[in-house]
Amino acid sequence: MSNIRACPHNLDSDTVQSSIYTREALPPGLCWKFNCIHFVNMVTKPLLLLAALWTSIVNADSMEETIKRNPPRNISITHRSLGEYTFSWEGNCTCTGNIKYQLDYTYLDSKDSKMKTYYVKENKKVLDLEFHRGLQARVRLTCGDKDNITSNWTERTFNLPGESFASVDNLTCIFYGELYMNCSWDVTEDASDDAQFILSYRERNPSDVYNCADYLEDGGRNIGCVNENIRIEDTDKITICISEVNKKDKLPYCRIVKPTNFCKAFCMGFFLVDHN
């Protein structure tokens, strides 16, 4: 019994736990405290782990329930400005954390069938579109990289008739170097006798719109455009649109092109962007 020390009454719990005492050597009050501390330590840690695990399971179930019970509805497209449109849809979800809307769309024609995908927190997305080509759109709720936690898709096809747009087709533009742009277009058969057209173009900022400087005419009707000093060396994308004068109810006929990509792919002197 020489290794048994009496436990002073003023020892704190840390000291008690780190010292060598026996139950017999501890005063009754401190012995109860000592046993209680060990009991709490043995029980609390597993309980905390179980609580954290349960919380994560409940949160996952709650998140999955929120996503699956709130699928977006009624996709629509609204024209904003030159070649710029807003996708929007109805949705009751307040998107927090990894919960987002996934918007996919692809054009209906065979020129570009690749699906474009965007993830957004709000129930809308502003994009530049070649809307005259028609498109298939779909939207759903999703949880980040968890593909198994999603709502059902809401889909819609947008394929407006040709008369909804300016009465032109086959917009073709040739870029010479980094300064000159020549464009031409065909007038469709449904164009009225007094139909007149203007060409406008912009880069990414919808407010920075530039109009054609000189037009090519056929019988007093604009069928082409010659532009100088357009500065495209640092331009990633140009939206070129033909609008029909005095036909405010018609949407512009637009093409979206990437001049730098064409320049690298073909030659340094000039490159061609055609309707194909």
Side-chain angles (χ1 to χ4, degrees):
M1 299 296 294
S2 60
N3 65 329
I4 298 178
R5 293 175 290 163
C7 180
H9 289 272
N10 62 348
L11 281 179
D12 56 30
S13 59
D14 292 336
T15 304
V16 171
Q17 293 182 67
S18 61
S19 302
I20 303 175
Y21 295 103
T22 65
R23 292 173 58 90
E24 293 78 7
L26 291 173
L30 198 57
C31 180
W32 177 88
K33 183 178 180 181
F34 179 72
N35 289 335
C36 183
I37 290 172
H38 277 277
F39 176 77
V40 170
N41 285 339
M42 288 187 295
V43 173
T44 302
K45 290 182 180 179
L47 287 177
L48 290 175
L49 292 174
L50 287 173
L53 177 61
W54 176 254
T55 300
S56 64
I57 293 173
V58 170
N59 287 340
D61 290 343
S62 177
M63 179 173 58
E64 183 174 0
E65 182 179 351
T66 298
I67 290 174
K68 292 188 174 182
R69 288 192 176 185
N70 291 278
R73 305 178 304 278
N74 301 332
I75 309 174
S76 62
I77 296 180
T78 306
H79 181 238
R80 288 170 53 92
S81 60
L82 196 69
E84 185 182 59
Y85 294 82
T86 300
F87 281 97
S88 62
W89 51 88
E90 297 176 9
N92 297 323
C93 178
T94 301
C95 293
T96 58
N98 289 330
I99 301 179
K100 298 178 182 179
Y101 289 107
Q102 178 184 343
L103 169 67
D104 295 348
Y105 81 89
T106 184
Y107 289 110
L108 297 180
D109 59 28
S110 59
K111 301 174 187 176
D112 181 11
S113 59
K114 182 180 179 180
M115 186 75 73
K116 298 176 177 61
T117 299
Y118 301 88
Y119 294 92
V120 294
K121 291 283 190 179
E122 300 180 316
N123 58 340
K124 62 181 180 180
K125 176 64 177 177
V126 178
L127 292 169
D128 294 332
L129 298 174
E130 296 179 348
F131 199 25
H132 66 278
R133 296 170 59 185
L135 54 88
Q136 176 73 32
R138 64 183 187 179
V139 64
R140 68 178 179 179
L141 271 175
T142 183
C143 179
D145 56 354
K146 298 180 180 179
D147 294 334
N148 60 322
I149 303 181
T150 65
S151 70
N152 292 329
W153 287 107
T154 295
E155 303 184 28
R156 185 175 175 183
T157 299
F158 299 88
N159 192 16
L160 299 182
E163 55 266 25
S164 301
F165 301 90
S167 303
V168 299
D169 199 4
N170 298 335
L171 173 60
T172 302
C173 294
I174 301 174
F175 295 80
Y176 293 92
E178 299 172 346
L179 296 174
Y180 301 97
M181 178 181 73
N182 292 353
C183 297
S184 63
W185 54 88
D186 297 334
V187 179
T188 58
E189 294 180 356
D190 62 344
S192 60
D193 293 338
D194 61 347
Q196 185 58 282
F197 308 98
I198 59 173
L199 180 145
S200 304
Y201 68 94
R202 64 174 179 82
E203 297 179 13
R204 290 193 175 274
N205 190 344
S207 62
D208 294 336
V209 177
Y210 305 93
N211 295 319
C212 177
D214 297 297
Y215 285 100
L216 304 174
E217 298 183 1
D218 181 13
R221 175 182 287 169
N222 295 336
I223 59 167
C225 167
V226 179
N227 257 9
E228 298 181 5
N229 301 318
I230 61 172
R231 306 304 306 178
I232 63 170
E233 69 273 16
D234 296 321
T235 299
D236 176 63
K237 179 178 67 175
I238 294 180
T239 301
I240 306 170
C241 296
I242 307 297
S243 301
E244 191 165 342
V245 180
N246 298 327
K247 294 287 185 179
K248 300 299 183 182
D249 58 326
K250 289 194 172 188
L251 296 170
Y253 178 102
C254 298
R255 292 292 318 281
I256 302 170
V257 298
K258 296 181 178 180
T260 52
N261 288 354
F262 278 91
C263 186
K264 292 178 182 178
F266 291 99
C267 63
M268 298 300 293
F270 72 91
F271 51 95
L272 171 68
V273 179
D274 62 20
H275 63 276
N276 292 320

